[in-house]
Amino acid sequence: MSAGSSTSAAPVVQAEGLSRWYKQVIGINDVTLVIPPGITGLLGPNGAGKSTFMKLITGQIRPSRGSVKVMGEPVWNNFELTRRMGFCPEQDAFYSGMTGLKWVRGLLSLNGQPKEETERLALAALASVDLLDAKDKKIGAYSKGMRQRVKLAQAIAHNPDLLILDEPLGGMDPMGRRSTIRMIKEWAAQGRSIIVSSHILHEIEAMTSTILLVNHGRIVAEGNVHEIRELIEDHPHRIFIQCDNPRQLASRLVGWKEVSGMRLDEDGVEVQTSRPDNFFAMLPEVILAEKLRVTRLLSPDDNLQAVFDYLVK
Amino acid sequence: MNPLNAVFRLSLAVLFKSKRTLVIGMLCFLPALGSLIGTMLILGEVGPSDVTGFGLISFIIVNAYVYVLLLVVTLFYGTALVSDEIEDKTITYLFMRPVPKPTIYVGKYLAYLVVGLALLLPSAALTFLIAMFADPAGEAARHIPVLLKDLGVLALGVLAYGALFALVGAQTKRPVFFGLGFSIVWETIVSFIPGYLNKLTIKHYLISLLPHPAGERGITGIFEAATSAPVAITVLLLVTAGLLALGAWLFANREYVLEQ
């Protein structure tokens, strides 16, 4: 299965029966997937297995079973692959006492570039995350948002083809989130592939429509947001119709095979349907026939959060 | 920049800025203070009249440096080389760079060597030179080769113990406790056991190289049959190389699961 609509380009990640457990605890369980180029969002609640998946695709840990390839190459102990890969870990970890510039430059120097080139790339990376003014400040004095951005800077500094970002927006204020989302989109527009994880749906939605939903170590859904939504079309979907005569409307709807449940309120009817498209197609005819005045039509399940909540239940 | 050099420089910057260096650095200069006090007592003719500056320095080098400070410095720095990176969760950054893991390990070890030697050797030299003021000028100059040998022994100790404790730090969850246990049980208690068992300790070869009379090498010096200098140096270098190679190999093949 592919996480994206386009599978023609070479995949950035291929996993086959990928499992990883920590003694008795399952991190990732039997995951088979292909992640195409572009931005892919890894979405799931805390403890779902997102970080384990990211550690596996960055070669920090070995699979307990199955295999994983990144840009066509095996990952474990493949240090040359890291030239093409940038990783922003979730942990708020730094070498104490270092300034932002020294830290990024120090890590960048491990890539083996000449000193002048290292300096130039480190400054460019800090500029791209809006930290140039704070480059000589110690990281310990940075705000949480600045620390997140300096982690992004070290990930992007060597111009990798693939960026793997584990909860990059964690702890940021709304302004910081917005600018980071913009940066991530810009990096993708420059031709990079990005795998970004979050447990917050709207963060992912703001970056991409290609998502992997992870829960309990499994990929519970993958693909385009709209494709994922279709996955639950066969399951009950709530629709609330506010009108001037809810009882009359309910009496008409009760016989429909599309309606699997109903709740009558003072000001409207909440319907459960497994075929919302059919239901919406038929509803106007009833409204017209019964001469009902509909003041509100709500579909509380018709958003990604509902899809997410449903799938991770 | 060469990756080994880059790891070395980065690790050196981290080590020099650590609080550990401040604390252990201060500790390393305590013997110099002891030497100063001892020298003043000798010059003021307080205490036994047969105590000389050379006797004082022999006592301090053996008991303060070889038995205590050498183990403290190598234990706390050696075990921390990898374990600090794991505890602080910074090892991820090193693993996400195109540097072979054995190079990371060796680069960090080299940085440790610089810090370890920088902490121990100047303080030992200072301690030595202060004590020499208690002896006549000609005597002091005669003992300079002894100082150089002492510094050489300490340097070999930093090499060998560092390789050992780096391995411990890379492979165990509580490396300091393990290292302390090793230092106390193996390196100290086994040293007191007459026979060949003490030749399995690093300390035996260091003591064998010390250019001080057996009685001034401490109680173990009295019991031990010293190993010749060429053999002792060869053993220490081979032990260092072997432990370093083993540590680098294990480091490269072990996965480090950081706690969430």
Side-chain angles (χ1 to χ4, degrees), chain A residues 20 62 77 93 95 113 154, chain B residues 1 85 93 97 252 255:
Chain A
R20 168 69 204 209
R62 279 180 284 210
N77 266 353
Y95 294 126
Q113 278 133 335
Q154 65 78 31
Chain B
M1 196 187 290
E85 296 267 4
Y93 300 114
R97 297 289 159 186
E255 63 172 18

Side-chain angles (χ1 to χ4, degrees), chain A residues 147-168:
Chain A
R147 294 202 299 274
Q148 286 289 73
R149 279 188 282 149
V150 82
K151 282 196 296 181
L152 287 168
Q154 65 78 31
I156 195 80
H158 54 294
N159 291 316
D161 299 325
L162 171 64
L163 270 173
I164 298 166
L165 313 176
D166 196 356
E167 302 270 359

Side-chain angles (χ1 to χ4, degrees), chain A residues 20 22 55 58 60-62 76-77 79 82-83 85 87 89 91 93-95 98 103 107 109-113 151 154 158, chain B residues 1 3 6-7 10 13-14 17 85 88-90 92-101 252-258 260:
Chain A
R20 168 69 204 209
Y22 309 94
K55 283 175 186 165
T58 51
Q60 293 175 69
I61 55 174
R62 279 180 284 210
W76 174 252
N77 266 353
F79 61 90
T82 59
R83 287 190 194 282
M85 203 194 291
F87 180 53
Q91 66 260 25
F94 304 93
Y95 294 126
M98 280 198 180
W103 188 67
L107 293 176
S109 69
L110 302 177
N111 283 51
Q113 278 133 335
K151 282 196 296 181
Q154 65 78 31
H158 54 294
Chain B
M1 196 187 290
V7 175
L10 182 65
V14 173
K17 281 181 180 160
E85 296 267 4
D88 297 342
K89 298 177 182 172
T90 47
T92 306
Y93 300 114
L94 298 181
F95 287 167
M96 288 308 299
R97 297 289 159 186
V99 183
K101 287 178 184 171
N253 288 287
R254 186 182 168 177
E255 63 172 18
Y256 294 94
V257 180
L258 306 181
Q260 292 283 347

Side-chain angles (χ1 to χ4, degrees), chain B residues 24-224:
Chain B
I24 295 183
M26 283 160 57
L27 192 67
C28 282
F29 279 90
L30 282 181
L33 188 65
S35 179
L36 182 67
I37 294 167
T39 302
M40 286 164 70
L41 291 176
I42 293 168
L43 291 173
E45 296 179 357
V46 180
S49 59
D50 59 341
V51 177
T52 62
F54 185 68
L56 175 67
I57 194 61
S58 293
F59 179 82
I60 293 176
I61 288 288
V62 174
N63 293 290
Y65 281 94
V66 177
Y67 285 2
V68 181
L69 278 178
L70 181 60
L71 282 169
V72 169
V73 170
T74 55
L75 173 67
F76 283 96
Y77 280 98
T79 54
L81 279 186
V82 175
S83 67
D84 269 9
E85 296 267 4
I86 296 162
E87 205 172 295
D88 297 342
K89 298 177 182 172
T90 47
I91 202 157
T92 306
Y93 300 114
L94 298 181
F95 287 167
M96 288 308 299
R97 297 289 159 186
V99 183
K101 287 178 184 171
T103 305
I104 295 174
Y105 189 84
V106 174
K108 291 181 78 64
Y109 174 77
L110 293 177
Y112 145 81
L113 278 188
V114 170
V115 176
L117 295 175
L119 286 172
L120 279 173
L121 301 195
S123 99
L126 180 66
T127 304
F128 197 104
L129 293 173
I130 290 171
M132 287 300 98
F133 278 101
D135 289 344
E139 282 285 299
R142 204 164 59 81
H143 291 313
I144 291 299
V146 175
L147 165 65
L148 296 176
K149 280 184 184 170
D150 282 344
L151 297 182
V153 170
L154 288 176
L156 283 168
V158 171
L159 276 168
Y161 280 128
L164 173 72
F165 291 133
L167 171 66
V168 171
Q171 294 302 316
T172 59
K173 276 201 166 175
R174 305 251 185 283
V176 172
F177 290 110
F178 189 91
L180 270 177
F182 174 85
S183 304
I184 294 165
V185 175
W186 191 256
E187 286 292 287
T188 304
I189 295 177
V190 170
S191 299
F192 287 97
I193 300 172
Y196 287 97
L197 199 57
N198 59 36
K199 292 197 173 179
L200 296 177
T201 66
I202 290 172
K203 191 188 279 178
H204 167 79
Y205 299 97
L206 295 174
I207 295 286
S208 295
L209 288 169
L210 280 176
H212 299 278
E216 284 157 352
R217 290 190 210 150
I219 193 160
T220 55
I222 298 166
F223 291 116
E224 280 176 5

Side-chain angles (χ1 to χ4, degrees), chain A residues 241-246 249 266-269 292-296:
Chain A
I241 309 146
Q242 190 180 56
C243 64
D244 56 346
N245 194 340
L249 176 63
E266 275 185 15
D267 56 347
V269 183
L292 295 167
R293 198 168 71 86
V294 175
T295 49
R296 212 169 172 206

Side-chain angles (χ1 to χ4, degrees), chain A residues 94-202:
Chain A
F94 304 93
Y95 294 126
S96 61
M98 280 198 180
T99 66
L101 177 61
K102 277 188 183 165
W103 188 67
V104 175
R105 193 173 55 197
L107 293 176
L108 200 49
S109 69
L110 302 177
N111 283 51
Q113 278 133 335
K115 200 177 171 188
E116 299 74 26
E117 180 70 355
T118 301
E119 181 81 9
R120 189 187 67 76
L121 289 172
L123 288 171
L126 288 166
S128 77
V129 297
D130 296 330
L131 275 180
L132 211 48
D133 291 343
K135 69 179 177 11
D136 296 320
K137 264 174 84 173
K138 286 191 175 172
I139 295 176
Y142 281 7
S143 67
K144 171 77 178 169
M146 289 164 86
R147 294 202 299 274
Q148 286 289 73
R149 279 188 282 149
V150 82
K151 282 196 296 181
L152 287 168
Q154 65 78 31
I156 195 80
H158 54 294
N159 291 316
D161 299 325
L162 171 64
L163 270 173
I164 298 166
L165 313 176
D166 196 356
E167 302 270 359
L169 307 178
M172 283 188 178
D173 59 32
M175 289 286 284
R177 280 167 197 248
R178 202 181 313 157
S179 72
T180 305
I181 288 168
R182 177 182 48 78
M183 277 187 268
I184 290 170
K185 284 176 155 178
E186 279 172 14
W187 292 334
Q190 289 162 8
R192 294 189 179 92
S193 291
I194 299 174
I195 300 171
V196 55
S197 77
S198 175
H199 61 281
I200 298 169
L201 180 76
H202 68 84

